[in-house]
Amino acid sequence: MTGRVVVVTSGKGGVGKTTSSANIGTALAKSGAKVALIDTDIGLRNLDLLMGLENRIVYTLVDVVEERCKLNQALVKDKKNPNLVLLAAAQTRDKSAVTEEQMIEICGKLQEDFDFILVDSPAGIEQGFLNATAGASEAIVVTTPEMSAVRDADRIIGLLEAKEEIKSYKLLLNRVRPSMMRTNDMMNVDDVLGILSVNLLGLIPEDTGIITSTNKGEPIVNDEKSKAGLAYMNVARRILGEEVPFMDLDEPKTWVEKMKRFFTASSK
Amino acid sequence: MNECKEKTRESYLIDLSNSNSAVDLILKLGNRLELGEYRFKNKQIMLNLGDLTLSNSNILSIKSIVESFESEISIIYSNSSQTQMSVISAGLSVSDEDITIVDAVETVEIVENEEDDEVEHPENVCHSELDNMVQTCEAEIHDSFPTLSALREQVRDNNSSSANLPTFYVQQTLRSGQSITYDGNVVIIGDCNAGSEIIASGDITVWGILNGIAHAGAKGDELSKIRALKMNAIQLRISGFFARRPDKLKFEKVEKLSAFIPEEARITDGEIIIYTINQ
């Protein structure tokens, strides 16, 4: 089988690449696919924290590249899901420790055994980004609805477009606050799509549960009551080819909001 | 065969247009640079790639070969539009052919004394030679008419210089971080997202929303113009003048194209002013 190598990137830092990689990977594994997660943020690794696998890491990506161990030895199995493995980054080195050719080789080897290889890219457009995108044929661009994030996402999309190996890229709009969008304090989804001209893969609402899930080391998809978890599950289903409508992110309307709407509508 | 000419003291043109393929071209470049090792260190290298089609990764390979000699690519000449786009994506300057700099000032066809006649004798002046398209004899000339004829002069002068420049035709949206530098006019069918740049010695025409920075008349031609379906540029620069977008309290929403009125920016009385298509 040939797995799909998908890079999760953004340009801007802190928009949710690692969170998205962890959750989409977990969701795909829950759906039955065999998934390998690779953390390419060498020196500032976080994916292992989010997955709760920090204390199980013996060998890292750099050990594989420098041939101190075999690839299989560095793949850490997930606590809950046997279909899911993590190839962690090294914390003690930096992004110059790995080259693009080495990444292409590793992704190639993993493609033989896994359905999906999700590569978590670091922020920026330098060596870390180049390493992460080296072996990939698809990309998920993560951004939040803010000018700075969208500007950086545009830059990243420009760089991805220039790479022939990346055949498709889709947008994941994260930390969406529908109430702010309604009052025009936050960019609308259409504004973002208008600037970036890419297809939308998913909308993830702002959810304070993310903070607790990160601290606990349990991806939020495991929490069935959270909207963000449900949104990530939908993203995974879309990646698997299913047509899933975008969920209504509106928060339940309070009595005050309902009355406000009544008055503003009649005054038009 | 000497494939390399010394253009100026500090820059060299390497002609690779007779290569058979991208691989052949890259090998030839490597050989050329190695053979003339000392000559090519720390210089500005111009490359002529002829009609060859090169991908973005080819261009990046070429770039790293030149950089390994501690030199810089100043411009790449190419006749293939795909190569030109690859060059732009790599952030380098591209041009059509190895053209010499066109003299921006065109000779005016009208004889000098007829010009003087207009200004000094406004009555009964026949403009038959001035406007090829509109031939009118203006019998009654009011105070405003000398201004009109001066404007007509200006229109003819304005168009004459850019018409002789080559034009680079881009049929895609420019994304943040992409930059086009061209010795001539540039036409973009698409948007120019914020963070992108267009630098042209001639006019810049954007058939879309101009959000980035546009610099027309980069060589000094103050008659250059910048046009767009929607002007939302962070900065507009014409020759040595520049104008910035007014600070806004609320961020702008991307408006629907149906509500646009095409606009043109040009220098009037020492300032960059934006006119709508009707003005």
Side-chain angles (χ1 to χ4, degrees):
Chain A
M1 76 170 112
T2 322
R4 286 165 65 175
V5 185
V6 184
V7 60
V8 181
T9 182
S10 70
K12 184 103 172 52
V15 296
K17 294 179 287 302
T18 306
T19 307
S20 299
S21 307
N23 282 290
I24 296 174
T26 306
L28 285 169
K30 277 175 114 162
S31 309
K34 292 186 74 175
V35 182
L37 296 173
I38 309 182
D39 188 358
T40 55
D41 198 349
I42 300 172
L44 294 172
R45 74 175 185 202
N46 281 321
L47 189 50
D48 53 314
L49 282 177
L50 261 67
M51 298 297 299
L53 300 172
E54 186 187 16
N55 47 6
R56 290 158 207 247
I57 297 174
V58 178
Y59 294 112
T60 68
L61 174 61
V62 178
D63 293 322
V64 176
V65 146
E66 293 179 350
E67 293 179 356
R68 277 191 288 277
C69 72
K70 291 211 174 57
L71 179 54
N72 286 333
Q73 292 173 290
L75 299 178
V76 181
K77 279 208 177 53
D78 182 47
K79 282 187 291 202
K80 291 191 176 161
N81 208 319
N83 287 353
L84 181 57
V85 300
L86 168 67
L87 177 56
Q91 184 66 342
T92 54
R93 304 284 294 277
D94 61 51
K95 289 151 186 73
S96 58
V98 176
T99 67
E100 286 140 271
E101 291 78 30
Q102 290 165 334
M103 282 304 299
I104 295 175
E105 206 188 310
I106 290 177
C107 290
K109 282 197 205 143
L110 287 171
Q111 271 182 299
E112 293 164 22
D113 298 318
F114 291 93
D115 299 312
F116 286 97
I117 295 107
L118 289 184
V119 185
D120 183 22
S121 164
I125 48 176
E126 297 82 19
Q127 190 61 36
F129 167 74
L130 294 173
N131 285 344
T133 50
S137 57
E138 296 172 56
I140 297 177
V141 179
V142 185
T143 186
T144 56
E146 301 172 300
M147 281 317 301
S148 43
V150 172
R151 196 66 66 81
D152 290 359
D154 195 38
R155 179 85 167 98
I156 283 283
I157 294 172
L159 293 174
L160 291 172
E161 275 176 344
K163 272 181 175 272
E164 305 159 315
E165 300 80 23
I166 308 246
K167 308 268 186 285
S168 86
Y169 37 87
K170 294 217 166 117
L171 187 71
L172 186 62
L173 195 55
N174 198 10
R175 306 190 73 166
V176 167
R177 290 190 203 230
S179 51
M180 282 181 77
M181 286 181 169
R182 267 203 300 274
T183 57
N184 270 340
D185 286 317
M186 181 180 264
M187 294 172 80
N188 279 325
V189 179
D190 293 321
D191 293 337
V192 176
L193 292 176
I195 296 175
L196 296 177
S197 313
V198 259
N199 289 327
L200 186 63
L201 175 61
L203 293 172
I204 318 285
E206 173 82 52
D207 192 336
T208 47
I210 295 271
I211 301 174
T212 27
S213 75
T214 306
N215 290 335
K216 274 199 262 178
E218 271 184 33
I220 205 169
V221 269
N222 291 326
D223 177 2
E224 274 147 35
K225 280 180 264 159
S226 102
K227 272 200 158 180
L230 184 56
Y232 275 122
M233 203 60 220
N234 288 348
V235 167
R237 286 162 66 192
R238 283 182 207 120
I239 293 177
L240 289 168
E242 206 184 311
E243 289 228 11
V244 186
F246 292 105
M247 43 182 226
D248 180 14
L249 291 175
D250 279 341
E251 291 105 11
K253 296 191 176 51
T254 62
W255 181 86
V256 177
E257 285 200 294
K258 279 195 199 148
M259 291 311 288
K260 244 199 270 179
R261 283 197 147 195
F262 173 72
F263 284 121
T264 48
S266 53
S267 63
K268 280 200 184 120
Chain B
M1 171 171 36
N2 190 11
E3 293 163 349
C4 169
K5 296 179 268 178
E6 186 172 316
K7 273 288 203 179
T8 71
R9 202 137 42 109
E10 288 299 280
S11 73
Y12 286 91
L13 171 68
I14 301 182
D15 189 351
L16 300 160
S17 52
N18 57 358
S19 311
N20 302 322
S21 65
V23 177
D24 184 38
L25 188 149
I26 294 175
L27 283 173
K28 276 208 169 84
L29 174 64
N31 287 337
R32 212 74 206 59
L33 290 175
E34 260 186 58
L35 289 172
E37 200 178 331
Y38 296 112
R39 249 200 305 168
F40 292 128
K41 270 215 162 142
N42 263 313
K43 299 282 190 289
Q44 294 282 317
I45 307 279
M46 298 182 278
L47 297 171
N48 183 5
L49 306 180
D51 293 321
L52 277 152
T53 309
L54 293 158
S55 71
N56 191 255
S57 37
N58 296 141
I59 301 292
L60 290 175
S61 308
I62 291 173
K63 198 172 172 213
S64 51
I65 292 175
V66 173
E67 279 167 6
S68 68
F69 283 85
E70 289 160 48
S71 288
E72 234 186 1
I73 298 181
S74 59
I75 191 166
I76 291 184
Y77 297 108
S78 164
N79 293 326
S80 146
S81 47
Q82 197 199 324
T83 309
Q84 287 174 351
M85 281 322 299
S86 303
V87 174
I88 291 170
S89 300
L92 296 168
S93 301
V94 69
S95 183
D96 245 82
E97 11 168 324
D98 183 7
I99 48 168
T100 47
I101 311 305
V102 177
D103 201 346
V105 178
E106 249 277 293
T107 47
V108 179
E109 282 168 359
I110 305 304
V111 180
E112 283 290 308
N113 41 11
E114 230 177 76
E115 230 181 293
D116 290 345
D117 277 352
E118 278 171 58
V119 175
E120 284 160 0
H121 308 287
E123 301 90 28
N124 296 325
V125 176
C126 203
H127 294 259
S128 52
E129 278 209 52
L130 282 174
D131 278 11
N132 299 336
M133 294 177 284
V134 179
Q135 292 194 3
T136 50
C137 275
E138 295 177 0
E140 272 188 343
I141 308 234
H142 305 291
D143 279 332
S144 56
F145 277 42
T147 325
L148 177 66
S149 48
L151 264 178
R152 281 218 184 92
E153 265 278 285
Q154 206 181 27
V155 165
R156 201 188 48 254
D157 274 333
N158 279 356
N159 291 334
S160 57
S161 50
S162 49
N164 285 319
L165 295 173
T167 301
F168 188 26
Y169 185 55
V170 178
Q171 293 183 73
Q172 66 172 59
T173 295
L174 276 193
R175 294 197 177 269
S176 176
Q178 290 179 338
S179 142
I180 293 184
T181 306
Y182 192 67
D183 189 358
N185 308 312
V186 176
V187 171
I188 307 218
I189 311 289
D191 294 339
C192 295
N193 285 352
S196 65
E197 272 189 343
I198 309 161
I199 303 170
S201 60
D203 299 339
I204 295 174
T205 306
V206 178
W207 189 260
I209 309 174
L210 174 56
N211 288 309
I213 296 178
H215 188 177
K219 283 202 157 108
D221 184 5
E222 290 180 13
L223 299 175
S224 301
K225 303 199 206 60
I226 302 174
R227 304 176 192 96
L229 290 183
K230 166 105 183 119
M231 285 284 198
N232 194 27
I234 297 178
Q235 277 187 13
L236 290 171
R237 302 173 186 164
I238 300 180
S239 176
F241 298 81
F242 96 93
R244 66 165 199 273
R245 182 167 73 186
D247 299 326
K248 279 198 164 67
L249 294 167
K250 272 191 186 171
F251 62 83
E252 290 185 3
K253 297 182 70 155
V254 175
E255 291 163 35
K256 299 262 184 307
L257 267 165
S258 53
F260 290 177
I261 299 175
E263 293 171 304
E264 176 180 276
R266 53 180 186 265
I267 294 183
T268 312
D269 294 330
E271 270 187 320
I272 295 184
I273 302 194
I274 299 179
Y275 297 87
T276 62
I277 201 87
N278 305 317
Q279 291 171 319

